Amino acid sequence: MIDYKAFTLQNGLQVFVHEDTATPMAAVNILYNVGSKDEDEHKTGFAHLFEHLMFGGSMNIGNYDEPLQRVGGENNAFTSPDITNYYITLPAENLETAFWLESDRMMSLSFDPKVLEVQRKVVIEEFKQRYLNQPYGDAWLKLRPLAYQKHPYRWATIGREIKHIEDATLDDVRKFFFKYYLPNNAIMVVAGNVDFEEVKRLTEKWFGPIPAGKPYKRQLPAEPKQTSARLETVEADVPLNALYKTFHMPGRNDQRYYIADLLSDVLGRGKSSMLYQRLVRDTQMFADISGYVTGSMEPGLLVISGKLKPGFTHQQAEEEIAAIISKVQEGVSEEELQKVKNQAESSLVFSEIELLNRAMNLAFSALLGDPDLVNKEAEYIQAVTADEVQAMAREILVPENSTTLHYIAKPKA
């Protein structure tokens, strides 16, 4: 159980406080309600670029890391299609340092052209290393626009292409910042050995003077229902043939999300899953295979992916996967379902051992519209029935709802 208290500043900043006197540490997590889905399709990769730019200095602080390191703190950030999240952990007695740092860059980022050039090069290099020059690295660059035709989930967080980052101007950067990096578009969670009233005082002191901006209201295009199977085949210098298969499923704001999530676990979570048992252990067709969900706020994807061993074809793999899906559609045993429920609940419990994870989970639950969701997820997981999993399998695991990428390893010269 994650206990919390909450308040909202006049400028719209939502603040949640989780007190835990059992630790000497504090965590400050700021979630900005902006991800790659909020980008212009001709200027993608900006949310991720901003993750880097936010460490390039602000109005009164030239070096973000230095003052934090002096007080024994650490920080990092990540970007997803749905959010951009910044976090600091530090000794609780130095909590005010985190408020000072975070409020200054929320108030006014440094728009130094040199900083933009440095971070632009960093992001471009990351694009090349992780997505273009790494085996299978471009799989999602190809899968997303195949699975999504209209919704902005159709491009990866890194961006659609390097050129969008190369062409980013200082004016583009300013516009993006003043549209999304606002107190009224952010959620802050302060957790650890902290006092609610003191957090409230510090928040008013450091974040209260920051003016609210124009409220951002999303008007994203809905993804049309997929009505026919999609398939793309690519050839590349990779060690093994690979297969990626996706199915559209409910998003995090849909109660049925938990049914689809558990369905993916039945199929491919761990070595006791149906896919692993049949395709890795029994037939030895795959070197590895898994099933998982993208966890998107809006309708996302259930994914099956794996690498085939030499001597097996994509057609054989497709037939085996279809047979396993057919078996799930015939029904899931109570024993099998309870096993994955217990795994899922254990993951939740273990994740909450870490103070920072509690802060992140609370912030994301608040963004979803119900901060107490952080305490309800285990209940929702255990409430899923075998009949619901079977019905979900019959609804979404059908050919016309599938998108498949066949990755073919180029023959050795």
Side-chain angles (χ1 to χ4, degrees), residues 223-349:
E223 182 65 20
K225 181 178 174 63
Q226 187 173 338
T227 56
S228 61
R230 298 167 188 159
L231 171 66
E232 185 174 322
T233 300
V234 296
E235 189 176 76
D237 288 318
V238 292
L240 298 169
N241 290 346
L243 181 145
Y244 299 82
K245 186 179 278 291
T246 72
F247 301 88
H248 291 278
M249 60 163 278
R252 291 295 300 261
N253 279 317
D254 189 323
Q255 190 71 32
R256 301 190 313 147
Y257 169 82
Y258 298 97
I259 304 171
D261 192 17
L262 288 172
L263 170 59
S264 77
D265 289 348
V266 168
L267 284 168
R269 178 172 181 162
K271 293 184 177 180
S272 64
S273 67
M274 296 177 73
L275 287 167
Y276 189 95
Q277 289 285 301
R278 175 63 182 163
L279 300 180
V280 177
R281 191 195 66 176
D282 295 346
T283 64
Q284 297 184 28
M285 181 179 290
F286 278 76
D288 63 71
I289 192 164
S290 61
Y292 56 94
V293 299
T294 54
S296 307
M297 286 180 67
E298 297 184 42
L301 300 171
L302 185 153
V303 185
I304 295 172
S305 67
K307 296 177 181 65
L308 286 81
K309 286 189 173 180
F312 293 99
T313 67
H314 282 96
Q315 183 179 347
Q316 289 173 309
E318 291 276 16
E319 289 170 358
E320 287 287 349
I321 290 171
I324 292 168
I325 287 174
S326 180
K327 192 174 178 181
V328 175
Q329 290 172 332
E330 291 169 7
V332 176
S333 71
E334 291 293 342
E335 182 182 9
E336 180 70 21
L337 180 58
Q338 193 58 52
K339 180 192 72 178
V340 296
K341 283 182 179 181
N342 293 344
Q343 287 174 336
E345 189 169 353
S346 293
S347 294
L348 278 177
V349 172

Side-chain angles (χ1 to χ4, degrees), residues 11 107 203-211:
N11 59 17
M107 171 72 84
T203 305
E204 290 282 4
K205 174 183 175 180
W206 290 103
F207 290 90
I210 303 173

